[in-house]
Amino acid sequence: MKRKKRNWVPLYIVGRDCFQKQVLDALDRSELPFMPGYLFDNSLSENHGMLWVDESIDIRNYKQAIGGKLIWKYRLRFFTDLNEFTASSQVQPTTDEEFNTAA
């Protein structure tokens, strides 16, 4: 039996804090191939994650395996492009003007 060679691509996820374990648990229950990834960047907020997924499988399948309930609960957003992910997950500094308008 010939084994299919997988081409792994990164899938970046941004959401509310502490979503990573539940997302990994949901994907473990599915039969989709994935590998947990790791990001270390001080400029990123704490609410991000990364997975390596099979390029031949549509990202929609991974989202369905995670489930709409978790996606909604943690407001998960998915990116395959590093630049889009980085732009959306940067810790935004608050300015004095923002504090003044909030008061």
Side-chain angles (χ1 to χ4, degrees), residues 49-67:
M50 180 197 160
L51 301 170
W52 290 97
V53 297
D54 188 340
E55 169 181 64
S56 66
I57 298 174
D58 190 18
I59 300 301
R60 183 180 180 110
N61 293 342
Y62 287 95
K63 290 179 180 181
Q64 287 175 337
I66 292 168

Side-chain angles (χ1 to χ4, degrees), residues 33-93:
F34 78 97
M35 294 185 295
Y38 177 74
L39 290 168
F40 181 75
D41 186 343
N42 289 337
S43 68
L44 297 176
S45 62
E46 300 259 338
N47 56 352
H48 64 274
M50 180 197 160
L51 301 170
W52 290 97
V53 297
D54 188 340
E55 169 181 64
S56 66
I57 298 174
D58 190 18
I59 300 301
R60 183 180 180 110
N61 293 342
Y62 287 95
K63 290 179 180 181
Q64 287 175 337
I66 292 168
K69 189 174 183 178
L70 282 180
I71 291 173
W72 178 254
K73 178 179 179 181
Y74 292 104
R75 306 296 193 263
L76 300 180
R77 291 176 292 156
F78 300 84
F79 301 92
T80 54
D81 181 73
L82 179 60
N83 292 329
E84 289 177 19
F85 163 72
T86 304
S88 73
S89 61
Q90 294 283 330
V91 176
Q92 301 296 323

Side-chain angles (χ1 to χ4, degrees), residues 2 11 21 80:
K2 189 175 179 181
L11 177 63
K21 179 165 177 16
T80 54

